[in-house]
Amino acid sequence: MARKTDTADPLAPLTLAVGQEDLLLDRAVQQVVAAARAADADTDVRDLTSDQLQPGTLAELTSPSLFAERKVVVVRNAQDLSADTIKDVKAYLGSPAEEITLILLHAGGAKGKGLLDAARKAGAREVACPKMTKAADRLSFVRSEFRALGRSATPEACQALVDSIGSDLRELASAASQLVADVEGTIDEAIVGRYYTGRAEASSFTVADRAVEGRAAEALEALRWSLSTGVAPVLITSALAQAVRAIGKLSSARGGRPADLARELGMPPWKIDRVRQQMRGWTPDGVAAALTAVAAADAGVKGGGDDPEYALEKAVVAVARAARPRR
């Protein structure tokens, strides 16, 4: 019989994150992991894709430990699990193990609906992670980001940020964090305007722009200045990833006017023009190599390495090398 679940408790036996918004899915996982590690610093976290969870794997991961350690098991793209593995998961839901939190990330929809229904019937704590396709939803998201960061931003500033950044929630979240880190007092429309029309001091976006343009020396200088002024390393890896992904998106898109591409790719028109200039010399292999380097740096700054600054420097150099320097 399933245990009674407190659906407000991040350490409930089962958390079900439903939707296709990657940032919200990642945050749902991070919330559970943070709560688990607050309860037990030695919590073991296993983060698996659907193809890594084979029949019998869940039983191995949730079997009793001699050390009675707390464990978090994350299963991504749960809608893609094989039929035999879904049987394993459903069986587990009926009798979850003590001190173990299972997180199922499910896209929603018809695929894998049986597992979704079973998790809900078992009393899963559910977190909605829908794609934010409407401008009003993104505006609400930006407002909530500033509130969560403990800062005030005027309605005009929030709207200006959405207009400048576009539909990518990671970019919106990163931009809000960057403004809070760099600016004191209430954030207004003028501040947002100054921030995106050029600032004297370096930011995570400055680092990313110089790197994808192949200007390694300038990117490293901007990186060191950003770190010295307190910019969080994770914001820099996020900006690098966004810049490289933008190049990959635009290089694979059909030609057209900036306004048409902006609608297709979810970017503001001004950004289409900027990325077009930055993408000269980039190749598909270069984009893949740069994303790999940034992913390694992201792991490094989130605890996977001993020296976050060195991890960032390596990533900046790798991205700059992937871009052909301009003559």
Side-chain angles (χ1 to χ4, degrees):
M1 178 181 293
R3 288 180 291 179
K4 183 179 180 181
T5 297
D6 178 358
T7 56
D9 180 10
L11 295 183
L14 174 64
T15 286
L16 182 62
V18 183
Q20 299 179 44
E21 187 56 67
D22 289 340
L23 175 65
L24 301 183
L25 291 167
D26 285 345
R27 285 184 172 180
V29 173
Q30 291 162 8
Q31 182 189 27
V32 174
V33 171
R37 286 185 168 155
D40 181 355
D42 295 324
T43 294
D44 181 20
V45 178
R46 303 297 181 91
D47 197 326
L48 307 172
T49 58
S50 57
D51 61 323
Q52 291 174 314
L53 193 70
Q54 298 296 317
T57 304
L58 185 61
E60 293 176 10
L61 292 174
T62 58
S63 60
S65 167
L66 292 175
F67 303 101
E69 63 183 357
R70 181 178 291 277
K71 187 178 293 185
V72 175
V73 179
V74 183
V75 181
R76 298 183 182 270
N77 299 314
Q79 72 279 356
D80 295 330
L81 291 171
S82 69
D84 288 339
T85 303
I86 287 176
K87 289 179 183 177
D88 285 355
V89 176
K90 287 182 176 180
Y92 175 81
L93 296 179
S95 184
E98 295 289 340
E99 300 299 312
I100 292 178
T101 298
L102 175 64
I103 310 174
L104 297 177
L105 275 56
H106 195 293
K111 188 176 183 181
K113 189 174 183 299
L115 177 59
L116 197 61
D117 292 342
R120 286 168 172 160
K121 186 175 180 180
R125 167 182 173 267
E126 186 166 342
V127 181
C129 306
K131 272 287 186 186
M132 294 191 181
T133 57
K134 297 180 180 178
D137 292 337
R138 294 191 289 274
L139 182 59
S140 178
F141 172 79
V142 168
R143 290 171 177 161
S144 69
E145 285 295 292
F146 282 119
R147 284 197 299 270
L149 292 166
R151 292 292 294 279
S152 257
T154 66
E156 295 79 11
C158 294
Q159 184 64 61
L161 200 59
V162 172
D163 292 342
S164 298
I165 298 298
S167 61
D168 190 311
L169 287 201
R170 289 190 188 277
E171 289 195 29
L172 287 169
S174 179
S177 297
Q178 191 70 62
L179 285 167
V180 167
D182 288 356
V183 178
E184 295 182 358
T186 299
I187 296 166
D188 60 21
E189 185 178 12
I191 289 171
V192 174
R194 289 198 303 272
Y195 188 84
Y196 286 101
T197 55
R199 294 173 57 90
E201 56 267 38
S203 71
S204 58
F205 297 110
T206 304
V207 177
D209 284 341
R210 298 297 83 78
V212 298
E213 290 162 3
R215 296 153 66 178
E218 293 177 39
L220 288 171
E221 181 181 0
L223 170 65
R224 289 161 189 152
W225 182 260
S226 292
L227 294 173
S228 72
T229 56
V231 176
V234 68
L235 297 181
I236 298 173
T237 56
S238 176
L240 285 168
Q242 290 161 19
V244 177
R245 282 199 299 265
I247 287 171
K249 285 181 180 179
L250 190 55
S251 63
S252 62
R254 299 185 302 274
R257 296 177 303 169
D260 295 332
L261 287 170
R263 285 191 293 272
E264 180 183 343
L265 301 178
M267 297 181 192
W270 65 263
K271 188 167 184 179
I272 296 291
D273 291 333
R274 175 186 292 178
V275 176
R276 270 180 168 166
Q277 295 175 359
Q278 293 174 333
M279 65 187 283
R280 296 169 187 164
W282 278 88
T283 65
D285 287 344
V287 171
L291 287 175
T292 298
V294 174
D298 190 55
V301 303
K302 291 178 179 176
D306 297 327
D307 190 341
E309 291 188 17
Y310 177 63
L312 285 170
E313 288 183 1
K314 283 182 63 179
V316 165
V317 171
V319 171
R321 284 177 177 168
R324 185 169 58 200
R326 297 183 182 182
R327 301 292 182 182

